Amino acid sequence: DQQVKQNSPSLSVQEGRISILNCDYTNSMFDYFLWYKKYPAEGPTFLISISSIKDKNEDGRFTVFLNKSAKHLSLHIVPSQPGDSAVYFCAASGEGSNSGYALNFGKGTSLLVTP
Amino acid sequence: DAGVTQSPTHLIKTRGQQVTLRCSPKSGHDTVSWYQQALGQGPQFIFQYYEEEERQRGNFPDRFSGHQFPNYSSELNVNALLLGDSALYLCASSLGVRSSGNTIYFGEGSWLTVV
């Protein structure tokens, strides 16, 4: 049962424009959300996280927005750079959920930033 | 500051064999979790170790077992390998078992191919 869904397998964006990656979740007990970036042959690299008590968190070019009522979060990358081309994973956890401390991942979105 | 290190990087095993994968957490971290990532999927939680005990387990059979040593490093053992066990095995480390508010770091993974 996939509790975290990334419905866009791929996304192509021009360099300098905004990249928006989306993520939906089904478990209302999730209260902590993370985004990871993964290059081929490497492990996931932590990008940014957000707690359910917030609706926005920024770190440089990366901003994560959380809409709890819609059970939806998004990652905005502005401006996008060719080096951002990677697979992006959304993950969620919640100590009160049926998965406890474990991270529940989506299947990932492959972002391609073209010059 | 050493990050999460895993070994071996790649290995090939035959069906029915046993495999041991190793992980050293990031310096200062005391909790290790293991994830399995099949091709085209997001990582799936296997189990978490803290204070040398398995604290939480995902939906994986008993063929998957683990251990944590006093220096916080960990091993993942898989017995009676099946073709379906072919995947990237990721080790994640953190300080404490809680995920909320925690930054969870991943190693580069061990690629296991079962033939």
Side-chain angles (χ1 to χ4, degrees), chain B residues 8 10-15 17-19 81 111-115:
Chain B
H10 295 84
L11 71 168
I12 300 173
K13 290 285 188 178
T14 305
R15 271 182 302 174
Q17 284 189 317
Q18 179 261 348
V19 67
L81 284 167
W111 283 98
L112 171 64
T113 302
V114 182
V115 297

Side-chain angles (χ1 to χ4, degrees), chain A residues 7-48:
Chain A
N7 292 319
S8 297
S10 62
L11 175 67
S12 182
V13 171
Q14 272 193 316
E15 182 178 6
R17 306 292 289 266
I18 183 172
S19 295
I20 300 176
L21 295 97
N22 293 304
C23 177
D24 297 295
Y25 61 97
T26 58
N27 193 328
S28 59
M29 298 303 291
F30 287 153
D31 60 9
Y32 187 57
F33 305 89
L34 308 90
W35 283 94
Y36 285 87
K37 177 169 78 172
K38 188 177 185 300
Y39 293 118
E42 293 186 12
T45 301
F46 171 77
L47 272 178
I48 192 168

Side-chain angles (χ1 to χ4, degrees), chain A residues 71-93:
Chain A
K71 296 192 184 67
H72 177 83
L73 63 156
S74 60
L75 174 69
H76 292 210
I77 306 174
V78 184
S80 301
Q81 301 173 353
D84 296 329
S85 298
V87 178
Y88 289 77
F89 289 97
C90 169
S93 72

Side-chain angles (χ1 to χ4, degrees), chain B residues 12-81:
Chain B
I12 300 173
K13 290 285 188 178
T14 305
R15 271 182 302 174
Q17 284 189 317
Q18 179 261 348
V19 67
T20 297
L21 308 178
R22 295 175 177 83
C23 171
S24 291
K26 181 178 170 62
S27 178
H29 284 184
D30 57 8
T31 302
V32 171
S33 300
W34 287 92
Y35 289 78
Q36 180 196 65
Q37 185 178 12
L39 207 59
Q41 303 293 317
Q44 298 288 317
F45 175 73
I46 303 174
F47 41 54
Q48 180 190 66
Y49 276 84
Y50 173 70
E51 292 186 335
E52 302 179 50
E53 289 188 6
E54 183 182 295
R55 296 291 174 163
Q56 187 177 344
R57 188 179 185 93
N59 189 24
F60 279 80
D62 292 344
R63 298 187 297 108
F64 289 76
S65 63
H67 189 78
Q68 185 179 36
F69 300 93
N71 66 352
Y72 308 122
S73 67
S74 176
E75 287 182 351
L76 164 65
N77 301 291
V78 187
N79 294 321
L81 284 167

Side-chain angles (χ1 to χ4, degrees), chain A residues 30 92-104, chain B residues 56 97 99:
Chain A
F30 287 153
S93 72
E95 294 174 26
S97 74
N98 55 354
S99 55
Y101 301 125
L103 295 181
N104 297 268
Chain B
Q56 187 177 344
V97 296
S99 51

